Amino acid sequence: MLQACLNGGRMKADAPGVPITPEELAADAAAARAAGADELHLHPRGADGAESLAPGDVGAAIAAVRAAAPGMPVGVGTGAWIAPGGRARLAHIAGWETLAPASRPDYASVNAHEEDAAEVMAILDRLGVRVEAGIWTPAAAERFLVMRAAPPPLRILVEMTSDDADEARRIAQETIARLRAAHVAGETPPPILLHGQGGSVWPMLRMAKAAGYDTRIGFEDGLALPEGGRAQSNSALVAAAAALMAAPAE
């Protein structure tokens, strides 16, 4: 599965093509689907362009994307840095209950290392929104395993934040090994989506392909094409990733 991560916390100053408004997100969603993306991950924005979890902002973004790319699964981030930050943002997430089902995300990523991760997961479960468990390090894997999320997550995002490909590869291997070691025989483990950031984007995508994991690509994670040029759009990144994933194994 190839997921398109459309914007994250990036702004137009990072790349003119970063989608901010619901209309821009909708257009990017349709273009990403046409380029080969299977699912979407986005960060809704408020009127000031900043990341937002407020029900109105989330509902507007999801509704616009669903209209432009009907039937395409779409998720959002819930990072603790999103205003008003920390536990104060839980009221915004809980407020998604006021949204019509079609205006709620299908899933949301929750960073296991964040202090309130278990609380965020519980709110999402109550709302019927599936969880993507974000695991950045072996230590975060340990914390997630202690949490024993119920129900099990939709998938586990093994997220490498290092710019260095070798470091990212090492941490990813250690993290995945820890998760696999804790797997209970007879149970089906959640799928893994492996991705990098910055300089580790394309190395992690190639590692995901080799291992048979899901992966993602888009402006949130990096701005560069595999040959090193700067991408002008999310669809260009998706098209390059889809071609790489479809190419014969080296």
Side-chain angles (χ1 to χ4, degrees):
M1 187 272 288
L2 179 60
Q3 186 183 85
C5 52
L6 301 181
N7 58 354
R10 293 197 190 271
M11 302 299 285
K12 298 289 188 183
D14 299 307
V18 170
I20 302 294
T21 67
E23 294 76 18
E24 290 172 344
L25 286 164
D28 246 31
R33 168 183 262 181
D38 302 299
E39 298 192 7
L40 299 165
H41 172 87
L42 56 90
H43 289 219
R45 305 300 184 91
D48 60 355
E51 295 170 84
S52 173
L53 295 170
D57 297 328
V58 171
I62 297 297
V65 166
R66 289 203 196 286
M72 195 173 191
V74 54
V76 301
T78 64
W81 61 85
I82 300 175
R87 283 193 169 86
R89 79 196 189 291
L90 299 187
H92 282 181
I93 299 172
W96 299 354
E97 186 174 14
T98 64
L99 299 173
S103 295
R104 294 181 193 176
D106 295 298
Y107 48 83
S109 60
V110 181
N111 298 319
H113 66 271
E114 293 178 350
E115 181 182 1
D116 57 6
E119 295 169 79
V120 176
M121 290 179 186
I123 293 171
L124 294 173
D125 179 44
R126 188 170 71 244
L127 297 175
V129 176
R130 297 294 305 275
V131 168
E132 291 183 319
I135 311 291
W136 295 13
T137 63
E142 294 284 356
R143 188 169 194 266
F144 172 71
L145 292 168
V146 169
M147 276 193 267
R148 293 291 179 187
L154 172 66
R155 65 177 63 95
I156 294 176
L157 304 184
V158 177
E159 307 190 59
M160 294 297 100
T161 60
S162 176
D163 253 347
D164 182 82
D166 290 336
E167 181 181 40
R169 192 174 293 108
R170 175 183 59 78
I171 296 173
Q173 289 169 341
E174 291 179 10
T175 301
I176 293 169
R178 182 66 194 91
L179 292 166
R180 292 303 193 215
H183 173 59
V184 177
E187 292 184 359
T188 302
I192 285 176
L193 188 159
L194 172 64
H195 72 97
Q197 293 183 15
S200 66
V201 164
W202 295 105
M204 290 301 95
L205 192 141
R206 292 184 176 93
M207 182 176 170
K209 175 186 176 179
Y213 301 140
D214 296 332
T215 191
R216 79 180 199 183
I217 196 73
F219 277 149
E220 175 174 353
D221 290 345
L223 307 175
L225 292 164
E227 67 272 15
R230 194 176 180 88
Q232 298 303 306
S233 65
N234 275 308
S235 58
L237 289 167
V238 170
L244 192 154
M245 296 297 286
E250 297 177 359

